Amino acid sequence: MLSMKMVRLAAIGCVAAFLSGTTAGTANAAIPESSESIKIAMNNWTSQNVLSYITGQLLEKMGYTVEYIPSDSQLQFQALGNGDLDFQVEVWEGSMAEAFAKSLEGGDVVDAGSHTAVTREDWWYPQYVKDVCPGLPDWKALDACAEKFATAETKPKGRFVGPPADWGKHYSERIQALKMNFQEVPVGQAATLWAELQAAYDRKEPIVLFNWTPNFIEAKFPGEFVDFPDPASDAKCKTQPEYCGAPKSGYLKKAAWKGVQEKWPAAFAVMQHINFNNEQIAKAASMVDTDGLSPEEAAAKWISDNPSAWKEWVPAD
Amino acid sequence: MSKPNKISCRNLWKVYGKDAQSFMAVHSNAPSLEDFRREQYVGAVRNVSFEVTTGEILVVMGLSGSGKSTLLRCLARLIDATSGAVCFDGQDITKATPEELIELRRHKMGMVFQNFGLLPHKTVLQNICFPLDVQGISRTRREERGMELAQLVGLAGKENFYPRELSGGQQQRVGIARSLAVEPDVWFLDEPFSALDPLIRRDMQDEFLRLQRALNKTIVFVTHDFEEAVRVADRIAIMKDGALVQLGRPEELVWCPADPYVAEFTRNAPRGKIISVGQIMVPTSAAASEISIRIDQKLDDVAPLVLGSDRSVKVIDHDDRVVGQVERDRLIAVMFSDGARQ
Amino acid sequence: MTASADSAASRSKSILPGILVGGAAVVSLILFAVAPDWARQWPAEQIVPLRDWVTRFFQWLANEASFGLFTVKDLTRLVSDILSGPLTITDGLLHKGFSQFGLAALPWITVVLIMGIVGYAIGGGRLGIATTLGFAYLAVFGMWPDAMKTFSLVLVTVPIAALIGLMLGILATRNQLAERVLSALFDVMQATPHLAYLGPIAIFFGFGAVPRLIATAIFAVPPMARCTILGLRTVAPEIIESGLMSGCTPRQLLWRVQLPAAQRTLLVGLNQVIMQTLAMVVIASLIGASGLGHRLLFSLQQLQMGKAIEYGVAIVVIAILLDRISQALIARNPARAPTEAEKAALLRTSVILGILLASSILVAWLVPAFRLLPKDMTFTTAPYWDQSIRWLSRTLFVYLEFFRDDVTTYILVPIRNLFLSLPWLPTCLLVATAGLLIGGWRLAVTAFLLLGFIAAIGFWVPAMMTLYLTSMAVIICVLLGLPIGICAAHRPRFTRFALALCDTLQTFPSFIYLIPVIMLFRVGDLASIIAIIAYAMVPIIRYTHLGLMRVPANTLEAGIACGCTGRQMLLKVELPQAVPEILLGLTQTITMALFMTSITALIGSRDLGQEILKALPAVDTGRGLLAGLSIAAIGITATRLIETWAVRRKRELGLA
């Protein structure tokens, strides 16, 4: 313990000395308010990683030290509440709404605002399926050629490759409500979805599966969402929500540990200001997924290419 | 004898079973064989008493399972006896505290094991020095002593090898050297040569006797080999089913076995090497032969003389007085047939 | 005379169980048919809400429980802080550098050299070259920083886990009560899938490297402790006695006689610790360990199979190299201690090597490429892997589709329905009867309670699903593994291949199998079963090989002398003797198959594994832990039954 403390003290001293030499003049004298490092949550999809690195590198520019901590997209809320993580740049309505709401209730996590980007999660098919099943993206057209999606287990019903059972989607209920000739086969994780998609795509087999946007999949596989009754216009959706499709524009939020506000107020302000739109996110992700950069490199490149965007978020010197 | 008792062992019992102490208590410290059988206890050592005098070699003999190794371990208190006392120079070690016991072992006892019990991760020298090492004796001093001992047991030049590189005989030399490292008064040897092949066994026995002549320790030596016992023993104790059947000089055992079990042991013993002239002579003061043999000579040594003579041969004692005579037929009967004792 | 009496006795002995089995079968058939509803399905309202209790207990423990001055959480966080000390050092050396002193991490060229030297010093030239090339691979394929993150964790975890295991093992040999408690605990710990631990650990120890270290330690400690117990127990009594007679105090006896004499078994334990640690690399990244495991999962999510394979290979490379180093440590037996001249030579060599290392740092300082290879100097085989996997899935699927469909429709689905319809009470009773026949009352009661526990907490249906998946997988493992093991034992050339296959299958992160399996077999039971087989087949091959190799040579000669044909030799002489070993392999295969269900749950089966997986995000500690314990309960029941039988058989064969 003692030695840990000493290491920490030494670290604080050195870092402080170092920073006073290099960052004086560029940053507010009060920054960093605390020399401890800000811990940014890293999930396992591209856009989140690139956005996290962008945030982190911007904070580093301001003089903060940043640590990136990999974490499960659901477990992270516990960690955010404990202060083991300080910031999460992508909170998805579709998959995290419940856990996020719960942690907000607990009071240890704060909502750090929304991105302009909207999210959508629903049934999705690759483009070539349209040739097999004319009339798409309407769900009735899909239902009409359900048999083309059938496999040994689901015959004669069509197979819908659904999201992991714990993502809180009620697709089986929707199939029942709409009396569709489909059966949901849930997967255990996202990677399984993509494996199915890749295999079907290579063989040009009809497939309909769960997908969301923004997602790296869009860059690799052209395709579109199935149109279900629109919750915005269809009256039935008020009384019978499973009857309808997902909102076409769900939120994409940021979350922070409540302690960040007091510990690093300036950093918290930046977190609140950070804001991406769909196009930016897709581009950031494709730098990694298509151009083969590492997420760190993609973030650095994005920062040097888009000064006008981030200058609005970070206080000028 | 006038020599003082070094070790004395009185009414020693080692009983295995559920609750040996109360079993002994119930049968007032003298359970019968029947009691053991009925209550499913095993009497590994049963009521054994004996003394070993200073400088004496006592050999404990018996078949496997006779309790001889258990007895030895009770003497060294590697096993706690169930009842009875074992005294070293009058100190009862069954009552020694752990600290006293460690002191005792560090200064007074040495032990050699059947399968050597060498530490595989230490070299020959480190093994020999180990008893000194645990006492905290400085490295230079203990290694000096270690080299001496290696020299003594004929291992010079092998000091830096690991035990696994040595032959069985060499390994046992290490064991012997280690047991002598603290210059103990009492030396326990538990079947030290049984794991060796016969030729080497003989060498090692000679080696042992040579060492004993130089060191003059008090020794308890366990073996199952009667020939070996005869070679090294001053006295032999024969054990059967945990009890001491007979204790005496080799000659006494051969000449006058206490029971058929002992007789069976001694049957194939080299009588000629064990029995002395005094045992078979007919006492008389008026023997007429020119050839004379001495009363304490072994039969093997006198056989050519006796057999070569057509008459009885006279026997003389230390003062060259005639004390008896030996007949040829008697000698032949004793040496070459079973019915020796009639 | 006596022979015929004996055989009569044994005949009557063999008839008795026959009757019992027959009777039990009839009774259970009746029970299966007429069982009332409550005996088929544990009534929902009677389910013990143990899940909620456990979850709440953990929440209370984590947030409120206190020992007066400090809370449990303070305590666990203190542990974290202490553990992160050594980690700071290795992290600093290998990838972070010590910014407070202005020092950078060691350049890759230096680390590669150090590993090469270590390999050479312990295992000689070949191992030296292997370690050098292996670590160079990590740099050349552009995985250096991640590999060093992982390596740093391994370097800290292994000694800590080994030390804890050693201490627990010593404790167990000292105290009977401790031994009984620990041994039961180890059984459960080893039979519970890793994923089930992660929730509680994350609650107590937070996120990042330290909880990973702890999760790994939990899993790596039991084998080390077991090896310690075994090692201490098997030290020849004469060695202990010779220590005592040398005048050792109890402490000297332990540290200077018993432990060094048990060195080899302890090293085997250490080897196990290393392998377990690397097996945890991927899973632990779920709770915040960065490095190769995290990259691997990330690549899989991005459908970058090739990259995932490269990261997987990197893990395997580290695992195999460390394994070989520890094996070499076990195999090392120099004839004698070094002489003074040799010591001097050694010193000279070390000085030269030291200079070499120092100059490598200098070179790296001058030429940055030796510090960290720039991206354009590294290369990757990822696209080829991607292409070939996709090519495989395109070309093979046509043929596999029929196979898959037929097997699924005609075999798997009916069997699954059968399993899912098993009523709990008769099933438990049937297993208990088997326990009674094999091992007596205690075994029967244990088996009944373990399985009944699953029903009582409401996991019966997912448990039957797990049972179905694992039994199918185990059956196929035996059908495939037994012949491979036999071949390996009979054909030396094949042995190497088979053992290398085992090594690879075992160390290769099991997550990677999932993707190609899904591509070829689609989401479904068959995909799960095949993924399980890939992992669980290893022990049955290993133990079959081992069992056959251990058949005493004179028995073989006797068989040949009796004029057995090759077939007869195998069936009548070798296999019967190897049965105990093969059975042990079977228990291991079962345990591994059960383990894999928590990973194949990622494909999408609805079994206990899925329960664990679902509990993870919701921090539903009770659900995850109890599902894990249910898997453990199945595993322990199965292994107890088989082991008891194996021990009996071994005694009958006079091999024990």
Side-chain angles (χ1 to χ4, degrees), chain B residues 73 76 78 102 105-106 109 111 113-123 130-131 133-134 160-162 164-165 178 188, chain C residues 237-250 252 256-257 260-261 263-264 332-339 343:
Chain B
R73 279 165 174 70
L78 286 169
I102 288 173
R105 287 171 179 162
R106 284 185 175 182
M109 295 182 193
M111 184 154 169
F113 298 89
Q114 178 174 7
N115 293 305
F116 325 134
L118 299 182
L119 304 178
H121 58 287
K122 292 192 179 290
T123 62
F130 187 67
D133 188 5
V134 295
N160 280 325
F161 282 80
Y162 285 96
R164 59 178 167 270
E165 296 295 316
R178 178 180 59 187
F188 295 124
Chain C
E238 286 201 341
I239 290 186
I240 295 174
E241 287 176 341
S242 77
L244 281 173
M245 290 309 290
S246 298
C248 284
T249 61
Q252 285 175 327
R256 308 190 56 177
V257 177
Q263 202 176 36
R264 293 206 164 205
R332 217 159 60 124
N333 41 5
R336 55 187 176 81
T339 60
K343 276 182 195 160

Side-chain angles (χ1 to χ4, degrees), chain B residues 54-239:
Chain B
T54 305
E56 184 188 22
I57 303 180
L58 176 76
V59 172
V60 180
M61 256 213 65
L63 299 176
S64 56
S66 61
K68 55 189 192 303
S69 281
T70 312
L71 173 65
L72 186 70
R73 279 165 174 70
C74 287
L75 296 186
R77 221 183 127 185
L78 286 169
I79 297 176
D80 282 317
T82 315
S83 80
V86 176
C87 295
F88 278 84
D89 297 328
Q91 183 194 1
D92 184 355
I93 68 148
T94 59
K95 301 200 166 56
T97 63
E99 292 74 28
E100 286 169 351
L101 203 58
I102 288 173
E103 274 310 296
L104 213 55
R105 287 171 179 162
R106 284 185 175 182
H107 300 294
K108 293 207 165 161
M109 295 182 193
M111 184 154 169
V112 180
F113 298 89
Q114 178 174 7
N115 293 305
F116 325 134
L118 299 182
L119 304 178
H121 58 287
K122 292 192 179 290
T123 62
V124 167
L125 188 62
Q126 287 166 336
N127 261 294
I128 295 176
C129 299
F130 187 67
L132 304 172
D133 188 5
V134 295
Q135 291 183 34
I137 287 171
S138 78
R139 192 182 159 135
T140 35
R141 267 188 58 205
R142 66 171 192 255
E143 290 197 342
E144 200 178 314
R145 169 88 181 129
M147 297 299 259
E148 249 173 64
L149 282 163
Q151 189 83 42
L152 182 70
V153 298
L155 281 174
K158 295 275 184 194
E159 292 91 348
N160 280 325
F161 282 80
Y162 285 96
R164 59 178 167 270
E165 296 295 316
L166 305 182
S167 69
Q170 286 172 324
Q171 292 196 36
Q172 195 57 298
R173 283 167 199 264
V174 179
I176 289 172
R178 178 180 59 187
S179 68
L180 294 174
V182 298
E183 299 182 54
D185 305 342
V186 175
W187 205 13
F188 295 124
L189 297 103
D190 181 20
E191 306 215 23
F193 310 133
S194 300
L196 308 177
D197 57 52
L199 284 179
I200 296 176
R201 200 181 303 167
R202 257 187 169 269
D203 281 350
M204 293 294 287
Q205 286 161 359
D206 291 339
E207 186 83 20
F208 166 75
L209 289 170
R210 178 180 71 80
L211 280 172
Q212 170 61 2
R213 273 196 293 280
L215 301 169
N216 201 28
K217 307 277 182 201
T218 304
I219 292 173
V220 180
F221 188 117
V222 169
T223 181
H224 62 253
D225 177 355
F226 192 68
E227 222 172 309
E228 181 169 89
V230 168
R231 280 194 62 149
V232 302
D234 289 325
R235 284 190 301 154
I236 298 178
I238 294 198
M239 288 189 72

Side-chain angles (χ1 to χ4, degrees), chain C residues 94-150:
Chain C
L94 291 172
H95 64 94
K96 261 192 190 154
F98 298 95
S99 56
Q100 63 268 42
F101 307 118
L103 291 175
L106 289 176
W108 68 267
I109 186 84
T110 313
V111 178
V112 169
L113 279 175
I114 292 176
M115 289 315 293
I117 293 168
V118 169
Y120 175 73
I122 292 174
R126 281 179 68 164
L127 190 60
I129 292 171
T131 44
T132 314
L133 290 181
F135 274 77
Y137 161 87
L138 302 175
V140 170
F141 275 72
M143 297 180 276
W144 190 253
D146 291 303
M148 287 306 105
K149 279 180 198 166
T150 299

